[in-house]
Amino acid sequence: MPDSPTPQRTRPADSALNTGFGRVLLFVYALGALSASARGLVQVFTHFSEAPLAYLLSAFAGLVYLVATVGLAIGGERGRRIALVSCSIELVGVLVVGTLSIADAVAFPDDTVWSRYGSGYGYVPLILPFLGLWWIWRHRPRPEKDADET
């Protein structure tokens, strides 16, 4: 029986979200999910009456980071959509909350993860959605070229 070559499997670019630099993003998102969720939950359960909006926003940020982590981890078209939506929500959140926390400090008596554009976290919350969206865009599905078109 002749040896038949085994077909090589190639992964489409959109499923490779968690490879290379994507692993770094995945780690940072997972770390953000853990820290923001822990901070938000502790604040909600111990000091909720002091700054309910700020503490709920911290818990929400943790949830957004968790969803982004899951999207980047599973990859593929489904993971890409999940990561795209969560990174977009994260970007809007950090820009809106960051601006409001500076413009109306009275409404934010305590910091959230996104207060002052994430200054309490070294501005990582401001930079991270841009990096995440760039990575997702870079790994978007592309139409396959025919061998005749080359």
Side-chain angles (χ1 to χ4, degrees), residues 41-52:
L41 290 175
V42 167
Q43 290 172 325
V44 165
F45 287 118
T46 60
H47 307 292
F48 185 72
S49 61
E50 295 174 19

Side-chain angles (χ1 to χ4, degrees), residues 6 8 14 40 43 45 50 76 86 89 91 112 135:
T6 55
Q8 289 186 342
D14 66 325
Q43 290 172 325
F45 287 118
E50 295 174 19
S86 57
I89 291 170
L91 179 60
T112 73
W135 187 253

Side-chain angles (χ1 to χ4, degrees), residues 8-48:
Q8 289 186 342
R9 295 179 187 220
T10 57
R11 292 174 52 157
D14 66 325
S15 67
L17 291 175
N18 61 1
T19 61
F21 180 70
R23 289 183 185 193
V24 174
L25 278 177
L26 187 60
F27 174 76
V28 174
Y29 269 104
L31 189 62
L34 180 63
S35 64
S37 297
R39 175 184 182 152
L41 290 175
V42 167
Q43 290 172 325
V44 165
F45 287 118
T46 60
H47 307 292
F48 185 72

Side-chain angles (χ1 to χ4, degrees), residues 5-142:
T6 55
Q8 289 186 342
R9 295 179 187 220
T10 57
R11 292 174 52 157
D14 66 325
S15 67
L17 291 175
N18 61 1
T19 61
F21 180 70
R23 289 183 185 193
V24 174
L25 278 177
L26 187 60
F27 174 76
V28 174
Y29 269 104
L31 189 62
L34 180 63
S35 64
S37 297
R39 175 184 182 152
L41 290 175
V42 167
Q43 290 172 325
V44 165
F45 287 118
T46 60
H47 307 292
F48 185 72
S49 61
E50 295 174 19
L53 176 63
Y55 299 155
L56 287 174
L57 283 170
S58 284
F60 177 72
L63 179 63
V64 170
Y65 290 130
L66 177 64
V67 173
T69 302
V70 169
L72 289 170
I74 63 175
E77 185 57 30
R78 182 175 175 210
R80 184 180 174 281
R81 277 191 228 130
I82 291 169
L84 180 63
V85 169
S86 57
C87 288
S88 299
I89 291 170
E90 175 192 6
L91 179 60
V92 170
V94 75
L95 293 175
V96 169
V97 172
T99 301
L100 290 176
S101 66
I102 292 170
D104 187 9
V106 174
F108 295 90
D110 202 357
D111 282 345
T112 73
V113 173
W114 293 335
S115 291
R116 295 182 320 275
Y117 307 109
S119 65
Y121 287 82
Y123 296 99
V124 170
L126 178 62
I127 298 165
L128 196 56
F130 288 106
L131 289 175
L133 290 169
W134 166 77
W135 187 253
I136 294 163
W137 177 80
R138 186 170 184 251
H139 288 83
R140 69 195 180 282
R142 294 183 187 103

